[in-house]
Amino acid sequence: MKNIISIIILVIALPSLADTILVIADKSENLDYVKDKQLYKFSDDIKGMKAQFEKGDKTQLVYVEINKVKENRYSGKLSVLGNGSKLNKKFKKVERLNEVYSEYIEGSRTNLILLGHTYSFQKLKDVLPAKGYQLESISTSACKMATLERLNLFSLYTDYVLASPENVHLSHFDLDHLKDRFTMDPITNLKGFLDDSFRRISRFTKSNLVLHIYDTRVEFSKNICESKDQLYSKLIDSQIKLSKFELKSENSSHFIISNCNKENL
Amino acid sequence: MGMKTVSLLLLASFSLQAISAPANEAKSFKKQVSKIVYAIKKSDDVKKKEVVLEKLVDVLNQGLDNAAQSSPEASEEAMILKEKLAHGLDSVKGGSAEEMDEFASFIESEMNQASPVIIVGIMLLVVLIPVWLSLVMDGVFYLLGAGYDHK
């Protein structure tokens, strides 16, 4: 009898043990880009990403697309693909997101990817899963997300953050092979994501491109910008490409934390 | 059709685009910038590239001044962008065609990733770009897809 109960519990628990990739995209602002007259649509990236996930896959994609933000009211679409799920629904209240998170993420090994132009601190607090979830990693394909305030917020959720203190060429991290991207330990996973995304964005941008993997196991103190050693101790891996038309030097503290106010420590 | 009439028609056409749905504004703006950058890169005349780049930076600066008024954050971003454009332009003046092209691509890149508030601010004035360019660059209207017969 005990064995039967154990099997039943195991069968019930199996779906929630899946790996989950939670992608939140803020599409309330235009995320397309145009190079040499050719339009690269963000929605094509998303189509390609979704096409990777099938119902029978163990890895599931939870995709939150924010289409409209008015003050603190959000609406958009929710999709869950893979791991036996196929959900496509609209949402009109941000509270609905937490219901979805608790239904599909709880107990799952989850990596979060944020896509968008940028996320204000308030917007992050609104759309991130409620406190208590421990995420494997957070990757932010959005401009100037590596501020002290935001990194400390991320540290409540995860030990490893991929982000940029500078502008990122919109939200065009490499979403190819996303399904198989997070199969190793978090640092190895993020290094692969960093390298592939850096390579992809480098093809399009002539602006500065700075991507770092941050160690967020210890909180970022307010005076971190006063010590170069402290700043560098927070970096696990980095990729930097400097534009010849921008003035900042590679050693600038801005290249590590975007709101550090001391240049050339 | 005289040059003035054509310019006025273009101005009206781009103005209409500027007041279209906000969601499409940014995309429309990026397309316009990209077409101009493409036209600059296609030109064989280094001097002409430089003149057009100067005009483009000039118009964008006007737009950035406008955008800067919307909020302190926009003001800071606009100031940084203006510095980059000024520094970039200084560094390519009198330079080679390749340097000009690279700077043109840099502008395209910066406009692609500018924040929406900056784009909206610039959009109010960017309608002038084709008019500016009409003064300096033969055939640019074909590349802009405006259908202007300049004969």
Side-chain angles (χ1 to χ4, degrees), chain A residues 30 32 34 36-37 117 205 207, chain B residues 30 34 41 109-110 112 114:
Chain A
N30 182 272
D32 299 332
V34 191
D36 294 333
K37 297 205 298 175
H117 205 285
T205 186
S207 304
Chain B
K30 290 174 198 172
S34 188
K41 285 155 75 174
S109 182
E110 286 293 309
N112 261 316

Side-chain angles (χ1 to χ4, degrees), chain B residues 8-22 24-25 28 32 123 127:
Chain B
L8 280 170
L9 280 173
L10 280 165
L11 191 62
S13 135
F14 281 99
S15 298
L16 278 173
Q17 259 182 290
I19 58 168
S20 65
N24 293 323
E25 278 181 13
S28 161
Q32 287 181 47
M123 278 293 284
V127 293

Side-chain angles (χ1 to χ4, degrees), chain A residues 207-232:
Chain A
S207 304
N208 282 343
L209 179 58
V210 183
L211 295 175
H212 296 303
I213 298 170
Y214 296 87
D215 181 345
T216 52
R217 284 175 295 181
V218 179
E219 195 182 349
F220 286 68
S221 64
K222 280 182 181 170
N223 59 0
I224 194 169
C225 297
E226 288 164 19
S227 159
K228 201 172 180 176
D229 289 341
Q230 271 197 63
L231 275 171
Y232 279 97

Side-chain angles (χ1 to χ4, degrees), chain A residues 29-39 41 117 143-144 166-170 204-208 243-248, chain B residues 23 26-27 30-31 34-35 38 41 77 80 83-84 87-88 91-92 99 102-103 105-106 108-110 112-116 143:
Chain A
E29 289 155 354
N30 182 272
L31 298 174
D32 299 332
Y33 61 92
V34 191
K35 182 174 162 53
D36 294 333
K37 297 205 298 175
Q38 193 175 340
L39 177 68
K41 289 166 108 177
H117 205 285
C143 295
K144 292 180 179 164
E166 286 279 301
N167 286 333
V168 178
H169 205 59
L170 297 174
F204 299 108
T205 186
K206 291 284 179 185
S207 304
N208 282 343
S243 161
K244 65 165 75 168
F245 303 112
E246 298 190 47
L247 292 164
K248 286 176 194 167
Chain B
K27 200 195 291 183
K30 290 174 198 172
K31 279 182 180 173
S34 188
K35 283 173 180 175
Y38 188 80
K41 285 155 75 174
E77 189 182 340
I80 293 168
E83 273 178 22
K84 285 183 193 177
H87 172 68
S91 68
V92 298
E99 285 171 321
E102 203 167 337
F103 180 54
S105 293
F106 174 74
E108 180 183 52
S109 182
E110 286 293 309
N112 261 316
Q113 65 188 27
S115 70
L143 292 163

Side-chain angles (χ1 to χ4, degrees), chain A residues 236-252:
Chain A
I236 293 169
D237 199 10
S238 302
Q239 288 271 22
I240 297 178
K241 186 187 90 170
L242 293 183
S243 161
K244 65 165 75 168
F245 303 112
E246 298 190 47
L247 292 164
K248 286 176 194 167
S249 85
E250 199 169 338
N251 292 324
S252 163

